[in-house]
Amino acid sequence: MRKLIFHVLLAYAITGMAQPCKVKQDIQQVKSGYVEVSGNARIYYEEKGQGTPIMLLHGHSLDTRMWNGQFDEFAKHHRVVRFDFRGYGKSSEQTETFQFTHLDDLLTLMDSLHIEKAHIVGLSMGGFIAGDMLGIAPKRMLSCVLASGGPKTQKGPSEPMDGAEKAKRDIDIAALKAKGVDKMKEEWLEALMASGGSRKECMREPLRIMITDWTAWQPLHKEVRLIYGMDAVKQLKQKCPTVPTLILEGGAPGNKHSGKSWLTEFLSNSRVEVLPDCGHMMNIEKPELFNKAVLDFINKN
């Protein structure tokens, strides 16, 4: 009997050791709900904690769960809000005809939650939108963290999609349908995985779950200009905002990074930091390292 108990306990211990990246979630004291935005749409959000606000902006094909490794930790000393952008997660779907931007939805959410200013943390697509905010609404930012993404140098809402671009999108959409959405999702997951470092397998399951749940509406339709892009970049270069800005890059060999950014020329209070041995989805791959870098920065600003 003692020998049997020993082997059971040993198996239990080994199983636990095999899951070093599992994030322990505290579901207590979480407020969730919906906020009405333009076009009769709704944005789903969750918030927790008290203190200076932090807004978490997720990446393309993902949702609020992307921040499972940050939500509870940041909420120990801050009021933390995470939400699903329109077209993702539990928020309303997009349409091909109604013009809106993700930044305007973010500002409406902040207004509805009575948040005048906040620390903005965006990763990948979330970094594009945080970059938009630096150009369009820097006065609403206490600080900015751009992780694996920043202002997009692409056409904004001031230049709607023309006939040639619509025709190209029709070709791309037809090719995707021929390939199959499941195949596209599989390739997208593997591309995210390929950028990672020695702990990249920690990312596979949480990314797989979110990408599987994603409707894939965006690649299957002609989106309006959801990112301000060059419209915001032009304003950023004119205003040269003094918002404290941390530009984070993953330093894994499989991840494209340079250790520098053109943004530092126009953001006098900015710096670049490379997090070693992690890739594009650094917050999931190495949450402890990411959290320390972000909190150290926020707590100084």
Side-chain angles (χ1 to χ4, degrees):
M1 178 61 73
R2 289 181 179 178
K3 190 173 183 180
L4 175 62
I5 293 173
F6 171 78
H7 284 295
V8 170
L9 291 174
L10 179 62
Y12 178 81
I14 292 173
T15 301
M17 290 171 62
Q19 300 176 356
C21 303
K22 188 174 181 180
V23 177
K24 189 175 182 180
Q25 286 291 291
D26 174 10
I27 61 173
Q28 299 296 321
Q29 302 172 352
V30 176
K31 176 183 176 182
S32 63
Y34 289 87
V35 163
E36 301 291 329
V37 291
S38 60
N40 297 315
R42 301 195 306 166
I43 295 295
Y44 174 78
Y45 75 93
E46 297 175 354
E47 69 168 293
K48 183 178 181 181
Q50 297 180 342
T52 309
I54 299 176
M55 308 294 294
L56 300 175
L57 283 53
H58 70 76
H60 171 62
S61 78
L62 309 176
D63 54 59
T64 56
R65 293 172 292 180
M66 187 189 107
W67 300 111
N68 281 353
Q70 288 69 52
F71 192 54
D72 291 338
E73 186 65 24
F74 290 5
K76 290 177 180 179
H77 302 287
H78 297 273
R79 179 188 179 188
V80 184
V81 179
R82 61 178 178 178
F83 63 99
D84 293 330
F85 283 113
R86 193 185 315 203
Y88 300 88
K90 298 178 182 179
S91 291
S92 297
E93 280 288 8
Q94 301 168 217
T95 71
E96 290 187 339
T97 56
F98 183 74
Q99 176 62 61
F100 74 97
T101 68
H102 288 314
L103 174 59
D104 291 328
D105 281 354
L106 167 59
L107 294 174
T108 298
L109 174 62
M110 289 175 64
D111 290 341
S112 299
L113 298 179
H114 307 290
I115 297 174
E116 178 60 29
K117 293 185 176 185
H119 297 287
I120 307 297
V121 180
L123 190 147
S124 194
M125 184 185 78
F128 305 160
I129 298 152
D132 278 354
M133 199 169 183
L134 282 169
I136 304 294
K139 292 183 179 180
R140 303 295 300 271
M141 311 174 83
L142 292 170
S143 73
C144 180
V145 176
L146 302 172
S148 299
K152 289 285 283 184
T153 53
Q154 64 182 30
K155 293 179 181 179
S158 67
E159 299 181 78
M161 188 181 297
D162 59 21
E165 190 175 353
K166 289 179 180 178
K168 184 179 183 305
R169 282 294 300 133
D170 286 335
I171 293 172
D172 292 341
I173 291 168
L176 173 55
K177 289 180 177 178
K179 173 191 288 188
V181 172
D182 289 343
K183 180 64 174 176
M184 178 273 292
K185 287 185 175 183
E186 179 183 334
E187 291 175 354
W188 174 239
L189 171 60
E190 291 307 319
L192 292 176
M193 292 296 301
S195 74
S198 62
R199 291 182 60 187
K200 65 183 179 182
E201 284 303 319
C202 296
M203 306 186 294
R204 185 176 295 279
E205 188 61 12
L207 287 176
R208 184 194 64 77
I209 291 171
M210 286 185 282
I211 292 171
T212 298
D213 291 345
W214 171 46
T215 65
W217 187 95
Q218 295 78 14
L220 290 169
H221 294 81
K222 292 188 281 289
E223 291 185 289
V224 296
R225 306 291 196 208
L226 308 179
I227 306 295
Y228 275 103
M230 286 305 300
D231 294 346
V233 170
K234 290 175 183 176
Q235 291 198 44
L236 188 153
K237 290 181 177 180
Q238 292 171 359
K239 297 174 182 176
C240 293
T242 58
V243 177
T245 302
L246 175 64
I247 302 163
L248 288 178
E249 297 183 343
N255 192 48
K256 293 182 180 179
H257 65 282
S258 63
K260 58 184 179 180
S261 171
W262 62 269
L263 282 170
T264 57
E265 180 181 350
F266 302 99
L267 298 172
S268 60
N269 197 5
S270 65
R271 64 180 177 87
V272 179
E273 182 175 344
V274 178
L275 300 185
D277 191 32
C278 57
H280 190 76
M281 300 304 304
M282 59 183 77
N283 73 306
I284 299 177
E285 185 176 9
K286 285 197 168 182
E288 300 89 354
L289 187 64
F290 178 86
N291 294 354
K292 185 178 187 309
V294 172
L295 289 175
D296 284 352
F297 173 73
I298 284 177
N299 291 334
K300 292 177 182 177
N301 295 286

